[in-house]
């Protein structure tokens, strides 16, 4: 791997592949980056934006000069490319993927005889949105990036790749593949299933006129946001990590059954403990690093129902060079304080906006 000039290939240019490619272009502007995707429009756009030097219509010998090849397609698709890549890559080329399940790709790599070249990878980032259009060159910043080398991975590749990932602004964490799959089942796969089930629960209970849908807007929509993620991707994830998912769902069902029994017994103390211990653990979760779920930078303010009040608040932020990502009126305030929701781009903007508005006597709530 040439540490002065990288030649890097991407197989798949969706949200994750596109974001990594954009980050590499920003951090290593002189690098040569090649890409392939069945979505030719994504490839054309990546070339127009200067992210790719070249977009190819298939995976062939044109990828043979790469120092690193990122496999950013679904797991099953990545596996299909392994026999092709085995006969293309150089002796010092590193293969890596970005999938949130590691066992299937690691097994396939072993069977293909590619273990010395392969380091499993998984950036702990994501969004309910998908595709190259939603990628950005800051998605990896302060995000955990799991690396799962095997015992047979060339040591110098592991050391260099870990350094490379950290140079992109991510936090490299090395795990065994089986550790990785259990962790991601716990903190990503199960939450996505639960979010989807909450939506199904309300959908089934809704009336013909959609009253629940209307009333649920706000807090409910926010906590179930990840249920809008790609169903194709989540089908693959669930099928490839089913053992861990089934085990954790079984634990969850047992816990929910316990809650039902406590309600039957009118055991208020146990219900209190259930919420209290959950709240204590949740509040202990650090908020300093990017996770799998894109952080939303909210603040809420109280405003009178008078003409021009929203425009006035927005103008105060604009005057202080604070960009607003989104803005809206909160109708369901079960989970929110304040009637006007303002979404900013980052923590710094959120803190600055709160200061500006407080100085102008707005009541501000930050979540």
């Amino acid at each position: 791997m040439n540490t002065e000039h990288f030649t890097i290939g991407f197989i798949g240019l969706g949200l994750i592949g596109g974001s990594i490619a954009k980050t590499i272009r920003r951090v290593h502007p002189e690098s040569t980056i090649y890409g392939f995707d069945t979505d030719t429009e994504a490839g054309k756009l990546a070339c127009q934006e200067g992210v790719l030097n070249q977009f190819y219509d298939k995976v062939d010998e044109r990828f043979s000069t790469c120092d690193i090849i990122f496999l950013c397609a679904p797991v099953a698709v990545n596996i299909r490319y392994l026999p092709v890549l085995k006969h293309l890559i150089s002796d010092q080329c590193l293969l890596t993927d970005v999938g949130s399940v590691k066992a299937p790709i690691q097994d396939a790599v072993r069977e293909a005889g590619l273990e010395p070249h392969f380091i499993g990878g998984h950036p702990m980032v994501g969004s309910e949105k998908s595709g190259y259009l939603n990628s950005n060159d800051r998605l990896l910043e302060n995000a955990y990036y799991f690396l799962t080398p095997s015992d047979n991975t060339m040591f110098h590749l592991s050391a260099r790749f870990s350094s490379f990932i950290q140079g992109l602004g991510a936090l490299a964490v090395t795990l065994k593949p089986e550790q990785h799959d259990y962790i991601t089942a716990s903190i990503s796969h199960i939450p996505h299933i639960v979010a989807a089930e909450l939506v199904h629960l309300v959908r089934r209970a809704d009336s013909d006129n959609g009253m629940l849908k209307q009333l649920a807007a706000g807090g409910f929509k926010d906590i179930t946001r990840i249920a809008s993620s790609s169903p194709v991707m989540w089908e693959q994830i669930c099928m490839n990590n089913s053992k861990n998912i089934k085990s954790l769902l079984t634990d969850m069902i047992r816990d929910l059954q316990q809650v039902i029994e406590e309600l039957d017994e009118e055991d208020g103390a146990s219900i209190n403990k259930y919420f209290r211990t959950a709240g204590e653990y949740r509040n202990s979760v650090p908020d300093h690093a990017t996770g799998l779920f894109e952080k939303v930078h909210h603040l809420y303010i109280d405003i009178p129902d008078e003409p021009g009040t929203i425009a006035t608040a927005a103008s105060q932020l604009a005057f202080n060079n604070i960009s607003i990502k989104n803005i809206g009126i909160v109708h369901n305030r079960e989970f929110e304080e304040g009637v006007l929701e303002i979404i900013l781009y980052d923590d710094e903007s959120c803190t600055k906006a709160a200061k500006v508005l407080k100085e102008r006597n707005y009541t501000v709530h930050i979540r």
Side-chain angles (χ1 to χ4, degrees):
M1 188 186 299
N2 186 335
T3 57
E4 300 300 323
H5 178 276
F6 298 102
T7 300
I8 299 174
F10 281 87
I11 297 174
L13 289 167
L15 174 71
I16 304 301
S19 294
I20 296 174
K22 288 179 178 180
T23 303
I24 293 172
R25 176 59 70 207
R26 175 174 57 81
V27 177
H28 302 286
E30 301 304 316
S31 290
T32 300
I33 306 178
Y34 303 136
F36 162 78
D37 197 297
T38 54
D39 181 359
T40 57
E41 292 303 313
K44 291 177 182 177
L45 181 57
C47 288
Q48 291 170 6
E49 293 178 343
V51 175
L52 296 184
N53 294 88
Q54 189 68 48
F55 178 73
Y56 297 138
D57 58 356
K58 62 180 178 179
V59 178
D60 57 21
E61 64 278 355
R62 291 173 290 185
F63 283 87
S64 63
T65 61
C66 291
D67 300 304
I68 308 173
I69 295 178
F70 285 87
L71 301 169
C72 303
V75 175
V77 177
N78 288 336
I79 290 173
R80 289 204 298 268
Y81 286 117
L82 294 178
V84 178
L85 292 168
K86 181 177 182 179
H87 300 290
L88 293 180
I89 62 174
S90 68
D91 292 340
Q92 298 303 313
C93 180
L94 168 69
L95 290 178
T96 186
D97 76 323
V98 297
S100 70
V101 182
K102 297 270 76 79
I105 188 77
Q106 300 271 173
D107 291 343
V109 163
R110 187 181 307 112
E111 292 175 8
L114 285 167
E115 275 193 302
H117 296 271
F118 186 78
I119 299 175
H122 177 207
M124 294 282 283
V125 295
S127 168
E128 75 277 15
K129 298 178 181 179
S130 60
Y132 181 82
L133 284 172
N134 295 299
S135 63
N136 72 80
D137 67 355
R138 300 284 175 174
L139 193 65
L140 298 181
E141 284 192 346
N142 298 314
Y144 290 118
Y145 198 120
F146 288 157
L147 302 177
T148 60
S150 74
D151 293 336
N152 296 317
T153 302
M154 288 187 280
F155 178 77
H156 70 281
L157 289 182
S158 294
R160 290 181 185 179
F161 189 54
S162 178
S163 177
F164 177 80
I165 289 301
Q166 293 186 118
L168 299 181
L171 307 172
V173 179
T174 301
L175 295 171
K176 294 289 186 182
E178 58 273 15
Q179 287 179 300
H180 169 276
D181 287 356
Y182 182 81
I183 288 170
T184 52
S186 302
I187 64 175
S188 172
H189 306 165
I190 293 297
H192 275 83
I193 292 172
V194 171
E197 179 54 31
L198 287 173
V199 175
H200 284 304
L201 186 70
V202 172
R203 177 185 60 82
R204 289 190 294 265
D206 206 355
S207 56
D208 291 340
N209 64 5
M211 179 178 289
L212 286 182
K213 183 191 297 183
Q214 182 65 32
L215 296 177
F220 176 83
K221 192 167 184 179
D222 189 41
I223 64 174
T224 59
R225 176 172 51 90
I226 55 176
S228 296
S229 299
S230 165
V232 174
M233 178 182 73
W234 281 100
E235 175 191 352
Q236 289 245 337
I237 288 172
C238 288
M239 293 301 98
N240 286 301
N241 203 19
S242 62
K243 181 179 178 181
N244 287 314
I245 290 172
K246 287 188 293 184
S247 174
L248 289 162
L249 281 176
T250 299
D251 291 344
M252 177 176 286
I253 291 168
R254 184 188 63 239
D255 289 348
L256 291 174
Q257 186 59 49
Q258 180 66 33
V259 171
I260 291 173
E261 292 173 6
E262 289 163 358
L263 290 172
D264 286 340
E265 295 167 4
E266 298 184 357
D267 185 354
S270 295
I271 295 297
N272 180 288
K273 181 181 178 181
Y274 176 79
F275 285 104
R276 175 166 44 81
T277 54
E280 289 170 353
Y281 185 82
R282 192 265 182 191
N283 292 337
S284 73
V285 175
D287 197 35
H288 62 272
T290 303
L292 272 168
F293 311 126
E294 181 184 19
K295 183 175 179 181
V296 182
H297 306 275
H298 297 267
L299 61 81
Y300 300 86
I301 62 175
D302 292 321
I303 57 172
D305 184 11
E306 298 173 359
T309 53
I310 295 176
T312 300
S315 296
Q316 294 292 345
L317 299 183
F319 182 76
N320 286 275
N321 296 314
I322 301 170
S323 297
I324 296 174
K325 186 175 184 179
N326 207 344
I327 192 167
I329 299 294
V330 178
H331 297 290
N332 180 346
R333 295 174 60 189
E334 180 181 5
F335 301 103
E336 283 32 284
E337 294 176 289
V339 70
L340 181 67
E341 177 187 32
I342 302 173
I343 303 177
L344 291 308
Y345 282 92
D346 50 43
D347 278 328
E348 182 181 356
S349 298
C350 200
T351 302
K352 184 178 178 182
K355 183 175 183 292
V356 167
L357 293 170
K358 285 178 180 178
E359 288 174 349
R360 286 151 183 81
N361 298 317
Y362 287 93
T363 301
V364 180
H365 313 274
I366 300 179
R367 198 186 77 188

